[in-house]
């Protein structure tokens, strides 16, 4: 058997940008893109060095743009800079001083706008608070907070004094916090009494209290008052944010840090074992997020830009905070759920703030489709000029819906492929250049040199599915897994020596466009054909009655692996006829080889808190096994029980 992954998805539609969009874009022609891409490939040091001097403010210029081979490449060696300085200070000496940096909306409907001037004052004060609490350059600080402006303020204050932040998404358990505190040896935790989520209070401080029993390195806890809920404060350990800030000086110059100074750790789940502490450093990450924000979102000073991710994920780090703020942009931040108080909330926010650029995830788009067009149709979305997606392959059906119902057929869609480890967007359409194809993340950005290879490192030709690798280092790549450099080398650089491989399968089509086929762990082998489960899912989702589908393999006597489909319908519980219809539908869309063996209807699918379907758990159900692995990242455990119960 070859180790190619067979691709069965065919998509011929193509959507070029309008001439008006192209004319006004930062990158506006194919020639300009190709010129940048080729320069970056042939002379990465010249390309990135030039951009770094133009786009980042330095306290001290660097001596070498890059030093060492991947994966040990160091960037901007000898330079001194500060990420917070670049996101805040450099704007307050310009006309942007009174420009909105963050427009925030709380779930209950409260609002705040922080100008760059406000942000500078608050961040400087809180950086002084951190120093007084004994936090020093190089210390690690855990943030476990709701989506409120103080989360961004706390991140930037850490960056200002060179403390490395480790943000933990507000839905994680006390055990997860303790594990991460211990792995990072965090000295301080910053949290809030609670946050709002679908009308309920999420009791953050209470969870932190539980985690403290197992977090010996943590000395102090800062607590922001957000909900006003009951909390217990332990003297000499717990301090109210507002008490600490009162009367604090707003004079705190940004610390001059080495380019490779650790900016943050972000834990991401591994397929097995303990979470991986992905480490990003200062200058390379900052340059990567600055440039990709500008190229991909075509950010302009007059734009109102909204990324709906939670800052607890890398998307929020890179594209709510560091990338947009470094560009001096206006970034919208929303605290709560998309369906609170009703399913129109996101569109209400778009209308209210006249959002121009909107960046969300395919899982959210599929939920919007399920909720019905009447919600977006109630609001004026005509301010939108550009849409984006991230996090999973987007099925062409959802892409078309996004294009028509949200974009009014007027907005380019940037399908951005990247990872926590890559720090910033790697492959994406450039909205003023690329003719998009629904379901493809199209082409690599300047400085990104990918390839599709076999397990033995041979390049594959057009339309052959294989392993997606990076052949050249880039400034914003992860530097290590915190405290475990061997695991870093093993996970990302051992499968194909000399190449970065982080687990995705993909193919490149005859136009050089990339199509992500999902994680290679999600490939199934049916009668000797390696199929991407994502493509079967995409075929199912193209059926009018299907809201969402997840497809996994299970041991099959004849075929090796059989195809089991978990399907959520837009309406109703499913029936035998529907099952037959869906099987026929997949056979028609893909072919006999992909004929589903089982269809299971489910009201909901098990997802991680960032919205990715947990196929590992579905594989256990399909195979009739108990689930042994880690389930702490599951959003709603009851979904699993329901699926098992329905399994006759
Ligand atoms: C998947 C999120 C297809 C992919 C920024 C990747 C995507 C993993 C896309 C990283 C996309 C992300 N098309 N697949 N546009 N974007 N992925 O670390 O499998 O949470 O490896 O980073 O999400 O997820 P992570």
């Amino acid at each position: 058997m070859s180790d190619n992954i067979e691709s069965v998805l065919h998509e011929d539609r193509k959507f070029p940008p309008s001439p008006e969009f192209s004319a006004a874009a930062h990158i506006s022609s194919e020639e300009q893109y190709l010129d940048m891409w080729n320069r970056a490939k042939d002379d990465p040091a010249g390309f990135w060095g030039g951009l770094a001097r133009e786009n980042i403010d330095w306290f001290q210029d660097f001596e070498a743009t890059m030093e060492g081979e991947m994966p040990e490449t160091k960037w901007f060696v000898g330079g001194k800079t500060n990420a917070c300085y670049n996101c805040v200070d450099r704007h307050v000496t310009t006309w942007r001083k009174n420009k909105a940096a963050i427009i925030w909306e709380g779930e209950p409907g409260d609002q705040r706008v922080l100008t760059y001037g406000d942000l500078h004052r608050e961040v400087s004060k809180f950086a002084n608070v951190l120093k007084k609490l004994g936090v020093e350059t190089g210390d690690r600080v855990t943030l476990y907070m709701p989506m409120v402006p103080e989360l961004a303020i706390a991140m930037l204050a850490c960056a200002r004094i060179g403390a490395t932040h480790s943000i933990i998404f507000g839905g994680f358990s006390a055990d997860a916090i303790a594990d991460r505190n211990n792995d990072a040896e965090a000295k301080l935790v910053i949290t809030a009494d609670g946050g709002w989520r679908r009308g309920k209070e999420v009791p953050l401080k209470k969870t932190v209290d539980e985690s403290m029993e197992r977090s010996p390195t943590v000395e102090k806890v800062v607590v922001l008052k957000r909900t006003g809920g009951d909390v217990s404060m332990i003297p000499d350990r717990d301090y109210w944010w507002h008490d600490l800030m009162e009367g604090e000086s707003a004079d705190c110059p940004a610390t001059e840090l080495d380019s490779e100074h650790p900016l943050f750790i972000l834990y991401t789940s591994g397929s097995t074992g303990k979470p991986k502490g992905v480490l990003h450093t200062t200058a390379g990450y900052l340059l990567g997020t600055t440039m990709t924000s500008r190229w991909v979102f075509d950010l302009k000073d007059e734009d109102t830009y909204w990324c709906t991710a939670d800052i607890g994920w890398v998307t929020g780090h890179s594209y709510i905070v560091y990338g947009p703020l470094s560009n001096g942009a206006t970034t919208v931040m929303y605290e709560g759920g998309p369906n609170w108080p009703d399913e129109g909330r996101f569109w209400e926010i778009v209308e209210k703030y006249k959002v121009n650029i909107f960046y969300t995830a395919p899982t959210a788009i599929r939920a919007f489709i399920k909720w019905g067009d009447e919600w977006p149709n109630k609001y004026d979305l005509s301010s939108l000029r550009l849409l984006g997606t991230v996090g999973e392959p987007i099925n062409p059906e959802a892409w078309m819906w996004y294009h028509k119902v949200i974009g009014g057929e007027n907005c380019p869609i940037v399908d951005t492929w990247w990872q926590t480890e890559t720090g910033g967007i790697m492959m994406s359409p450039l909205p003023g250049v690329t003719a998009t194809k629904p379901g493809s993340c199209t082409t690599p950005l300047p400085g990104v040199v990918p390839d599709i290879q076999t397990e033995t490192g041979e390049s594959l030709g057009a339309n052959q599915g294989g392993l997606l690798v990076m052949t050249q280092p880039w400034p914003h790549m992860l530097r290590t897994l915190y405290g475990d450099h061997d695991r870093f080398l093993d996970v990302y650089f051992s499968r194909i020596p000399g190449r970065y491989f982080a687990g995705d399968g993909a193919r490149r089509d005859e136009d050089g466009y990339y199509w992500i086929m999902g994680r290679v762990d999600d490939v199934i082998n049916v009668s000797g054909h390696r199929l991407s489960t994502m493509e079967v899912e995409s075929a199912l989702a193209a059926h009018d009655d299907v809201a969402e589908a997840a497809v996994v393999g299970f041991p099959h006597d004849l075929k090796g692996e059989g195809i089991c489909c978990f399907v959520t319908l837009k309406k109703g519980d499913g029936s035998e006829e529907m099952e037959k219809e869906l099987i026929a539908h997949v056979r028609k869309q893909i072919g006999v080889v992909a004929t589903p063996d089982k269809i299971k209807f489910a009201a909901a699918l098990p997802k991680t808190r960032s919205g990715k379907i947990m196929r590992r758990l579905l594989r256990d159900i399909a195979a009739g096994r108990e689930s042994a692995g880690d389930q702490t990242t599951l959003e709603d455990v009851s979904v699993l029980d329901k699926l098992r119960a329905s399994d006759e």
Side-chain angles (χ1 to χ4, degrees):
M1 195 203 72
S2 84
D3 46 26
N4 299 355
I5 307 167
E6 290 178 37
S7 176
V8 290
L9 250 191
H10 300 287
E11 176 59 61
D12 304 319
R13 289 170 288 201
K14 235 177 160 174
F15 298 85
S18 69
E20 302 78 57
F21 194 104
S22 298
H26 286 303
I27 304 181
S28 56
S29 71
E30 181 83 16
E31 296 73 58
Q32 196 186 348
Y33 160 65
L34 286 175
D35 176 60
M36 290 167 77
W37 195 82
N38 285 316
R39 249 193 308 138
K41 177 171 176 283
D42 299 336
D43 176 21
F47 177 78
W48 290 114
L51 288 179
R53 290 198 173 96
E54 271 164 46
N55 295 285
I56 302 293
D57 283 15
W58 297 89
F59 300 119
Q60 185 179 302
D61 192 15
F62 47 92
E63 287 145 23
T65 298
M66 43 196 303
E67 208 177 86
E69 298 291 309
M70 186 161 75
E72 310 290 355
T73 314
K74 294 195 165 35
W75 290 84
F76 313 114
V77 181
K80 287 201 189 293
T81 184
N82 183 295
C84 176
Y85 183 92
N86 278 277
C87 289
V88 184
D89 300 49
R90 64 166 162 173
H91 305 309
V92 297
T93 52
T94 71
W95 67 269
R96 292 196 186 98
K97 180 176 68 170
N98 294 317
K99 176 181 174 175
I102 297 175
I103 295 178
W104 173 81
E105 175 146 319
E107 190 182 82
D110 39 348
Q111 300 172 36
R112 279 165 68 192
V113 176
L114 277 92
T115 64
Y116 277 94
D118 296 330
L119 195 59
H120 183 254
R121 184 184 61 249
E122 297 303 306
V123 167
S124 301
K125 284 172 72 173
F126 196 67
N128 276 330
V129 165
L130 291 175
K131 283 187 187 168
K132 284 204 182 132
L133 291 173
V135 178
E136 291 170 10
T137 304
D139 285 343
R140 274 82 52 215
V141 176
T142 293
L143 277 57
Y144 183 70
M145 296 180 77
M147 281 284 287
V148 292
E150 284 80 2
L151 171 51
I153 291 168
M155 291 166 84
L156 292 164
C158 286
R160 192 169 191 81
I161 63 170
T164 303
H165 58 72
S166 161
I167 305 186
I168 303 176
F169 173 64
F172 278 116
S173 66
D175 279 348
I177 302 172
D179 287 347
R180 288 158 176 74
N181 281 342
N182 290 324
D183 190 75
E185 298 175 277
K187 194 171 189 180
L188 182 85
V189 174
I190 307 172
T191 186
D193 47 2
W196 295 112
R197 190 78 193 173
R198 297 197 176 92
K200 290 207 186 74
E201 187 187 353
V202 183
L204 300 170
K205 171 66 163 64
K206 195 165 153 269
T207 310
V208 166
D209 286 341
E210 277 171 50
S211 77
M212 289 298 286
E213 291 160 20
R214 295 211 296 112
S215 302
T217 61
V218 177
E219 296 164 11
K220 296 189 165 89
V221 179
V222 178
V223 187
L224 176 81
K225 191 171 260 191
R226 162 67 185 135
T227 56
D230 264 350
V231 293
S232 63
M233 299 288 282
I234 296 182
D236 298 326
R237 190 196 76 179
D238 300 347
Y239 301 86
W240 285 110
W241 175 295
H242 56 264
D243 288 343
L244 296 167
M245 288 288 267
E246 201 181 299
E248 187 51 80
S249 155
D251 180 21
C252 178
T255 306
E256 301 186 6
L257 300 168
D258 285 338
S259 296
E260 288 290 344
H261 186 79
L263 178 63
F264 67 84
I265 301 169
L266 182 55
Y267 286 90
T268 176
S269 55
S271 43
T272 52
K274 68 180 179 101
K276 303 179 286 194
V278 169
L279 182 91
H280 283 287
T281 58
T282 300
Y285 173 82
L286 181 66
L287 180 65
T289 52
T290 305
M291 297 322 302
T292 53
S293 295
R294 196 177 314 159
W295 293 336
V296 174
F297 300 116
D298 192 42
L299 270 183
K300 309 267 171 56
D301 261 315
E302 51 278 18
D303 282 321
T304 302
Y305 160 90
W306 183 21
C307 164
T308 71
D310 192 287
I311 291 178
W313 311 117
V314 73
T315 305
H317 283 61
S318 299
Y319 297 111
I320 296 179
V321 180
Y322 288 109
L325 295 181
S326 172
N327 279 289
T330 298
T331 180
V332 174
M333 195 173 160
Y334 168 58
E335 178 184 29
N339 49 353
W340 189 266
D342 63 37
E343 282 76 3
R345 187 63 185 271
F346 273 17
W347 318 122
E348 186 193 323
I349 293 174
V350 169
E351 177 181 282
K352 180 167 164 190
Y353 299 110
K354 300 206 167 25
V355 170
N356 307 106
I357 303 168
F358 179 77
Y359 189 33
T360 196
T363 179
I365 296 170
R366 290 191 300 265
F368 305 147
I369 297 174
K370 185 168 176 168
W371 294 336
D373 296 7
E374 60 269 28
W375 294 105
N377 287 347
K378 267 196 211 171
Y379 297 91
D380 177 9
L381 306 183
S382 61
S383 58
L384 292 171
R385 67 177 192 93
L386 175 60
L387 304 175
T389 74
V390 60
E392 281 175 280
I394 180 166
N395 49 300
E397 221 42 44
W399 195 102
M400 288 304 298
W401 183 90
Y402 199 29
H403 168 72
K404 285 191 184 136
V405 180
I406 305 305
E409 303 190 28
N410 245 332
C411 304
I413 296 181
V414 289
D415 174 352
T416 64
W417 178 87
W418 59 295
Q419 307 174 305
T420 304
E421 292 87 345
T422 68
I425 298 168
M426 301 291 277
M427 299 202 277
S428 167
L430 292 170
V433 175
T434 318
T436 50
K437 300 184 189 181
S440 168
C441 61
T442 74
T443 46
L445 296 183
V448 174
V449 189
D451 196 14
I452 309 286
Q453 300 191 342
T454 63
E455 293 278 353
T456 49
E458 285 143 57
S459 292
L460 287 163
N463 288 317
Q464 292 184 287
L467 309 180
L468 173 64
V469 300
M470 298 297 142
T471 62
Q472 252 180 233
W474 62 100
H476 35 302
M477 71 183 276
L478 81 165
R479 296 299 191 267
T480 190
L481 292 176
Y482 190 77
D484 199 347
H485 201 64
D486 286 344
R487 187 174 180 200
F488 161 76
L489 296 175
D490 182 51
V491 172
Y492 305 109
F493 297 95
S494 69
R495 188 129 171 191
I496 305 181
R499 301 280 177 261
Y500 168 84
F501 172 64
D504 284 354
R507 76 180 159 97
R508 191 167 35 203
D509 72 14
E510 57 288 350
D511 297 331
Y513 280 38
Y514 285 78
W515 298 77
I516 304 295
M517 299 162 82
R519 309 289 297 168
V520 288
D521 302 346
D522 296 334
V523 167
I524 51 180
N525 193 328
V526 183
S527 310
H529 301 275
R530 291 183 74 197
L531 298 175
S532 148
T533 53
M534 173 248 139
E535 295 193 327
V536 183
E537 286 163 11
S538 198
L540 283 164
H543 189 282
D544 279 345
D545 295 334
V546 173
E548 189 160 47
V551 170
V552 297
F554 66 94
H556 190 286
D557 290 346
L558 293 176
K559 305 185 189 175
E561 275 188 290
I563 300 177
C564 178
C565 311
F566 294 85
V567 175
T568 304
L569 294 175
K570 287 182 184 152
K571 287 196 182 74
D573 298 331
S575 60
E576 221 165 288
E577 285 88 79
M578 181 55 82
E579 188 175 333
K580 286 198 188 119
E581 190 174 322
L582 290 180
I583 291 174
H585 172 81
V586 173
R587 285 174 68 126
K588 184 153 166 281
Q589 289 249 318
I590 302 183
V592 203
V593 56
T595 308
D597 297 280
K598 297 184 192 171
I599 302 248
K600 291 178 187 294
F601 294 103
L605 299 171
K607 291 187 185 173
T608 64
R609 290 160 205 272
S610 65
K612 293 198 210 306
I613 296 168
M614 293 185 79
R615 291 185 181 69
R616 176 166 56 83
L617 301 178
L618 293 174
R619 277 198 289 272
D620 291 337
I621 294 177
R625 288 188 296 261
E626 282 296 305
S627 294
D630 177 35
Q631 295 183 16
T632 56
T633 53
L634 188 65
E635 191 187 38
D636 177 2
V637 183
S638 70
V639 167
L640 268 194
D641 300 332
K642 281 184 208 136
L643 279 174
R644 280 214 192 81
S646 70
D647 200 28
E648 62 298 290

